[in-house]
Amino acid sequence: MIRLVLVDDDPMVRTGLRLILGGEPDLEIVGEARDGLHAMEVIRDLAPDVVLMDIRMPGQDGLTTTGLLLARPDPPRILVLTTFDADDMVLSALRLGADGFLLKDTPPPKMIEAVRAVARGEPVLSPSVARQVIAAAAGGQGSPSPEARREIDRLTEREREVATELARGSSNAEIAGRLHMSVATVKANVTRIFAKLGTDNRVQVAMKVRDAGLL
């Protein structure tokens, strides 16, 4: 059973999420919060597996709340929800280590699967905006960082090729086609890249590739 907390200042949005997610046999909504400060209390008391976090809220916003939660020991997985498809706050949340980013109008079956994927430790980005978010993270490259270069040097040649494609916003299927690999092999490479670089999502990989001067 995956235990969920919903964080959104709009009660109608929380109701909609409860209707979408609450009927699934493996998902249990254990609590709701109306803002970031309330969320800190609810999550502390209930220790959910996954938090669906609105990014824009009055008072303590979702970005601040995400950073505070991820600084705790054994934090929950955080899936950021937003109505904006290229929001700077979303990018910042992913940089902090949030596990995923979905638009609020994501179709219910995809939202349900995204929650399950995040609970399994798999990062999730809405396909419609993944390229924009990754491009923003990889943009503005300055002088290569020796530290980032040392991190990238931990990768095999093949893993560096895959990491560079990730930084360009390519999907697993696109990487498979360009590098003449199976999708399963691409997924295995991505898993190893995350482990070697200490990253949780493609945005963080994109920033390391940028900082190493590979783009």
Side-chain angles (χ1 to χ4, degrees):
M1 183 67 70
I2 301 169
R3 303 174 74 253
L4 309 176
V5 163
L6 312 178
V7 183
D8 198 293
D9 63 311
D10 187 337
M12 293 299 293
V13 170
R14 298 199 304 271
T15 298
L17 291 172
R18 184 175 283 277
L19 289 172
I20 291 171
L21 303 170
E24 296 300 307
D26 58 334
L27 305 181
E28 180 185 6
I29 299 172
V30 296
E32 299 181 12
R34 60 187 175 273
D35 57 40
L37 287 176
H38 187 207
M40 299 295 292
E41 298 174 5
V42 171
I43 293 164
R44 179 198 61 206
D45 294 340
L46 298 177
D49 301 305
V50 177
V51 175
L52 279 75
M53 179 75 71
D54 185 21
I55 203 70
R56 291 187 177 274
M57 295 181 288
Q60 183 172 295
D61 61 35
L63 177 60
T64 301
T65 306
T66 294
L68 292 171
L69 289 172
L70 293 177
R72 291 179 172 180
D74 195 24
R77 303 285 184 181
I78 297 180
L79 183 57
V80 173
L81 297 177
T82 182
T83 54
F84 303 94
D85 63 1
D87 192 300
D88 289 342
M89 295 181 74
V90 171
L91 180 57
S92 296
L94 291 170
R95 284 173 169 152
L96 286 170
D99 297 276
F101 160 39
L102 284 181
L103 296 181
K104 288 183 180 179
D105 63 359
T106 298
K110 291 188 178 297
M111 184 173 290
I112 292 165
E113 182 49 41
V115 170
R116 290 171 176 152
V118 164
R120 293 192 299 265
E122 301 172 10
V124 172
L125 290 176
S126 284
S128 63
V129 298
R131 291 180 189 232
Q132 296 178 58
V133 173
I134 290 174
Q141 179 174 311
S143 300
S145 160
E147 181 180 352
R149 188 70 210 191
R150 283 193 295 271
E151 289 185 284
I152 292 295
D153 284 345
R154 297 173 190 164
L155 306 179
T156 66
E157 181 178 354
R158 197 53 147 173
E159 289 165 353
R160 282 196 296 273
E161 291 175 339
V162 172
T164 302
E165 288 296 328
L166 290 179
R168 290 173 177 149
S170 301
S171 68
N172 287 347
E174 289 169 336
I175 295 171
R178 288 172 187 157
L179 300 183
H180 308 290
M181 306 163 68
S182 69
V183 172
T185 301
V186 172
K187 289 180 178 178
N189 274 273
V190 171
T191 298
R192 289 195 296 271
I193 289 166
F194 285 173
K196 289 183 178 181
L197 298 182
T199 54
D200 299 307
N201 57 60
R202 293 177 181 229
V203 172
Q204 293 172 340
V205 172
M207 289 189 291
K208 288 184 183 290
V209 169
R210 173 203 63 188
D211 291 344
L214 296 187
L215 293 179

